[in-house]
Amino acid sequence: MPILTETPRSFDPAPAVPHRMAFGDVIVEIGARRVRAPHGTSVLEPRAFDLLMALADRPGLTVSSAHLVEMVWGAGDGSGQALSLCVEALRRALADDVQAPRFIETVPGIGYRWIFVSPRPPSMTATATGWLRRPAWVATLLAQR
């Protein structure tokens, strides 16, 4: 007699996690916690990687230092000093300049914000001649009328 297993009705398979993320010329290999930047490759320590994920998951939003400490270290384990050192290590890996940041912006007295904005692919760029012009196949159909 075959053994049947029951899958709970609430079963929801985990969504596929990307193996890599790209931020311009910087590539983050998720499984290896590796950052490949033009200046070299760095393997992030677990907390620096968790900090990267916490910030990059909320682009444009300011995340308070207290919230980041709780997310990365857990309740009561981290400190503002530990967070600052972790941000510094992450900036080094990303080749991010604190004076002219591309990725992590310090919001004084509050926390940090992920500021990287992906450039639009050339096909998505709206230009005066590009997005107003009809596609060739539409022009052909109209000419046949």
Side-chain angles (χ1 to χ4, degrees):
M1 182 167 177
I3 298 174
L4 300 175
T5 58
E6 185 177 64
T7 303
R9 289 179 188 219
S10 63
F11 177 76
D12 185 21
V17 176
H19 297 289
R20 296 166 40 149
M21 294 186 312
F23 305 109
D25 55 1
V26 173
I27 296 177
V28 177
E29 296 175 4
I30 306 294
R33 295 190 327 259
R34 188 174 319 164
V35 174
R36 294 184 187 272
H39 72 284
T41 300
S42 303
V43 176
L44 297 175
E45 64 100 19
R47 290 197 168 119
F49 182 78
D50 291 346
L51 177 63
L52 170 62
M53 294 294 107
L55 289 170
D57 193 39
R58 296 160 179 81
L61 298 178
T62 301
V63 184
S64 74
S65 295
H67 187 68
L68 287 170
V69 167
E70 187 175 328
M71 287 177 67
V72 175
W73 282 268
D77 288 338
S79 68
Q81 178 68 25
L83 177 61
S84 295
L85 291 172
C86 197
V87 168
E88 185 179 318
L90 186 53
R91 282 184 170 140
R92 250 192 326 275
L94 296 169
D96 200 19
D97 182 5
V98 71
Q99 300 301 321
R102 288 184 350 167
F103 301 105
I104 302 169
E105 178 182 39
T106 301
V107 182
I110 300 175
Y112 298 93
R113 176 176 30 236
W114 184 259
I115 59 170
F116 179 78
V117 178
S118 295
R120 289 209 250 178
S123 63
M124 298 296 290
T125 304
T127 62
T129 58
W131 66 276
L132 293 175
R133 189 175 14 159
R134 291 184 181 130
W137 64 270
V138 172
T140 305
L141 285 175
L142 292 174
Q144 291 175 357
R145 288 184 176 186

